[in-house]
Amino acid sequence: MTLLNIVNNLREKTTRHSDRTALNKVMEFLENKGWSEMLPSEFGEFEFLQFINHLSNSSPSVVYHNSTASRRLLQNLHAEGEIFQSSPELWPASQKPTARHFEPLSDEKTKALREWLKVEIDRISGIEKKVEESLKSGVALKYCGNDFRNKANKDPRLMAYNRWTSNLSDVIATIYLAHPDYPLNKEAVKKHYTPPRDIVYEELTNPLITIIKRMSIQNIPSYCEFLEDAKDLTFTKLLTYIYPDQFELITIKTAISLQTGWTFDVIDRIDAENYLYTPIPVNGDWAFVQAPKIKGAKSSNSTTNEQRILLHPCSISNPHSVYNLIKLLKKRTSRLRYGDEYKDVVNTLGCHPLFICLNTHSKSLLVHHTDMRSEAGAIKSGKNRKQIKEQFIKSLGFYFDPRQLRPTRLYLNEKEKNLPLILQVALFGHSSSAVTDEFYKNNAQFKKLRSKRLAKELIKIEKSIADGSFKGSLVPLREEKTIEDRILNIYTNHSGESPLAVCNDPHRPDWGSYIGERLKQPCRQFNKCLQCSRSEVLSDNIPFIVDRYLYLDQKKRTMKKEQFNALYLDEFNASKEVVESYPYQDEIKEAELRWAIEGDLLPPVISELGSWE
């Protein structure tokens, strides 16, 4: 079989739109080169380089994604039967473009978005409540075209079509209860529910088509509005009362993303029937919502994807929490979860997608899920995005890239909750803290936040000095160094000096009985550095101070209190205060972890001769 046929067969089996696009590019390349009859064994590294060159007219991002996706898919084929000259995983790929990392939303926009989301969620909840009440108490209408006065039947006892009105509850009951095949049964919609272009009473054969036609012409001057309690409502908008539309889905996704920091592709994977990580305890107020995150394997020896489960704790009693937003959307979409079309979606995905809605134009089911993206859907997505953007601008006042919600959530966590870095890494599903710190926290707003927090911490430290323990100066400059580099710098470049602090005047110490004296020889009592105002603690000293504090803490637990207080109390209090006051607690945690694994850095007594080195 030729390579072109193999790629074509693979493309037909592939459901992911991005993979299909990449395979289309491979087929296009083979046809342009006149290689339609080429065998897989004739295709290797050199030919793949020509394919990358073929893609070069596109943007760097498109070139990168198409080349890496096609190489991955061809490697999967090669793993089954070794059909190529060499393993595709060894073939070169185009250079990865510089990633675009988005700034968090400004404080003003974040505040406006939060307020808008609250209003919108309350509005959606009110609509759902109205629909539920209508389905219980509404009376289905039974009027058809022949029930109205017309040219063929001028019976004065009959109602005039242009004066016929009803209410929201009865119309909702008519649409959903009396006509269950509408709107997802396309054949029925085409056959029974397509209104005539003109007012032809004989063609208004059922109550629903009669309502549809009546609402489509209600703005004609001689006609009055059809719904007495919702006069401005069109029939298309009325359908969005019963079934959610795309804008409603995007609104709820935005609310969930702003609370969790999850991206839209992660949120789309929430299973409507399996979204709780553990059962909610009796009388408990907290639930853990889960969502799978699919991540490409980075190992060169692996062609599989890694799946992680992201968790988010949320309150049950808060009506705007993620838990209650999911429950609300389940109610809103429950009327769409039936029929062969929905069963096919469940069979394809292997789960019940939470984010489904009605396409009000095509009267079909629309599924928001990465694995359900099709080429036809991709063609329409640009138009849909434009419409949604216009709706956001009209309703909210501005538009934003949904990817900004993730760094915005991280910024809010840092600003409002002051969460430890390790917890933020876990909640965001990052592989390491370096990802969180480098790509999401290295922007102007985070730097401004750090400056404010640092100023507050320094004020606290200044006030705490009055208790007589730590008397030095803390200079907590943020440096991009590993803990190993900090330790190595002290051992090599500051050998023979104090590992706990930098001394500004070793001849004039002011700890203990040395206050006011000038020594002939420089002070070498490194154990006392933190009790001396001549000292300055830099970030490189932190691993050693943590080491000293944990060593003394062990001593405190094993020695008699009176003995410990006499020998080590001042030194212990000073090191403890530095550890607790240091503004970058992630560095403290890292030093504590190093001590737990590797043990003490310093000897029990940091010698006057500097023999600690």
Side-chain angles (χ1 to χ4, degrees), residues 305-537:
N305 286 336
E306 174 189 1
Q307 176 171 303
R308 297 180 178 181
I309 298 297
L310 301 185
L311 302 180
H312 180 74
C314 42
S315 171
I316 298 172
S317 58
N318 180 2
H320 299 97
S321 69
V322 174
Y323 171 78
N324 284 308
L325 289 177
I326 292 175
K327 286 186 65 178
L328 172 62
L329 190 56
K330 280 191 67 177
K331 288 182 181 179
R332 297 286 294 141
T333 58
S334 62
R335 293 176 284 275
L336 292 170
R337 299 181 187 276
Y338 70 91
D340 294 336
E341 189 175 4
Y342 180 69
K343 289 180 182 178
D344 291 341
V345 169
V346 174
N347 291 335
T348 301
L349 297 177
C351 67
H352 293 266
L354 176 64
F355 290 89
I356 61 175
C357 66
L358 177 69
N359 186 326
T360 53
H361 298 290
S362 64
K363 305 298 184 292
S364 60
L365 187 67
L366 192 62
V367 181
H368 282 213
H369 196 284
T370 306
D371 296 340
M372 290 295 292
R373 291 174 185 168
S374 64
E375 291 184 71
I379 293 171
K380 296 177 182 177
S381 63
K383 184 178 180 181
N384 290 337
R385 279 197 297 268
K386 184 178 180 181
Q387 291 175 343
I388 290 171
K389 181 178 180 179
E390 290 173 353
Q391 281 184 276
F392 264 102
I393 294 174
K394 183 178 179 180
S395 180
L396 175 60
F398 62 90
Y399 182 70
F400 57 90
D401 192 305
R403 289 171 288 184
Q404 288 182 275
L405 297 173
R406 187 166 173 82
T408 300
R409 177 68 266 166
L410 189 64
Y411 174 73
L412 293 174
N413 285 345
E414 185 97 358
K415 180 181 179 182
E416 298 175 354
K417 297 184 179 180
N418 197 22
L419 292 181
L421 179 63
I422 190 65
L423 181 55
Q424 296 186 43
V425 172
L427 290 175
F428 271 59
H430 289 156
S431 55
S432 70
S433 60
V435 177
T436 312
D437 222 18
E438 179 181 355
F439 296 118
Y440 285 92
K441 292 192 171 186
N442 192 23
N443 58 61
Q445 283 186 267
F446 274 98
K447 289 177 181 177
K448 183 179 179 181
L449 185 61
R450 286 195 190 106
S451 298
K452 288 182 179 180
R453 183 172 296 162
L454 180 58
K456 291 180 180 178
E457 293 292 342
L458 291 175
I459 292 173
K460 290 181 181 178
I461 293 169
E462 185 179 345
K463 291 180 179 178
S464 70
I465 291 176
D467 66 4
S469 52
F470 172 55
K471 293 184 178 179
S473 299
L474 188 59
V475 188
L477 298 177
R478 187 70 156 179
E479 296 180 288
E480 299 298 328
K481 282 184 178 181
T482 65
I483 188 170
E484 292 80 9
D485 289 340
R486 299 176 196 277
I487 294 171
L488 187 62
N489 181 47
I490 296 294
Y491 275 146
T492 55
N493 298 327
H494 299 280
S495 177
E497 302 174 17
S498 172
L500 302 180
V502 175
C503 185
N504 292 321
D505 190 352
H507 292 279
R508 289 185 179 276
D510 60 3
W511 61 271
S513 59
Y514 289 112
I515 298 176
E517 286 189 37
R518 175 176 174 79
L519 303 182
K520 293 181 180 180
Q521 297 295 327
C523 173
R524 310 291 289 179
Q525 296 285 351
F526 297 149
N527 290 54
K528 304 296 184 180
C529 284
L530 299 183
Q531 301 165 54
C532 178
S533 65
R534 312 300 186 197
S535 65
E536 287 185 353
V537 173

Side-chain angles (χ1 to χ4, degrees), residues 9 22 54 72 103 109 114 184 193 229 249 286 302 324 347 359 372 399 408 426 467 517 530-531 555 569 596 602 604:
N9 291 340
H54 170 76
R72 169 174 50 81
E103 294 277 334
K109 286 187 175 181
R114 281 175 149 179
L184 295 182
Y193 304 120
D229 50 352
L249 257 58
W286 288 92
S302 175
N324 284 308
N347 291 335
N359 186 326
M372 290 295 292
Y399 182 70
T408 300
D467 66 4
E517 286 189 37
L530 299 183
Q531 301 165 54
K555 281 282 193 182
L569 182 60
L602 301 173

Side-chain angles (χ1 to χ4, degrees), residues 124-132 135-136 176 241-244 248 252 272-273 275 323-337 354 356:
I124 295 170
S125 299
I127 288 175
E128 179 58 25
K129 185 178 180 181
K130 177 64 178 177
V131 172
E132 291 175 351
L135 296 180
K136 289 180 181 179
Y176 185 72
Y241 270 58
I242 308 173
Y243 312 101
E248 183 174 324
I252 293 179
E273 300 300 325
Y275 60 91
Y323 171 78
N324 284 308
L325 289 177
I326 292 175
K327 286 186 65 178
L328 172 62
L329 190 56
K330 280 191 67 177
K331 288 182 181 179
R332 297 286 294 141
T333 58
S334 62
R335 293 176 284 275
L336 292 170
R337 299 181 187 276
L354 176 64
I356 61 175

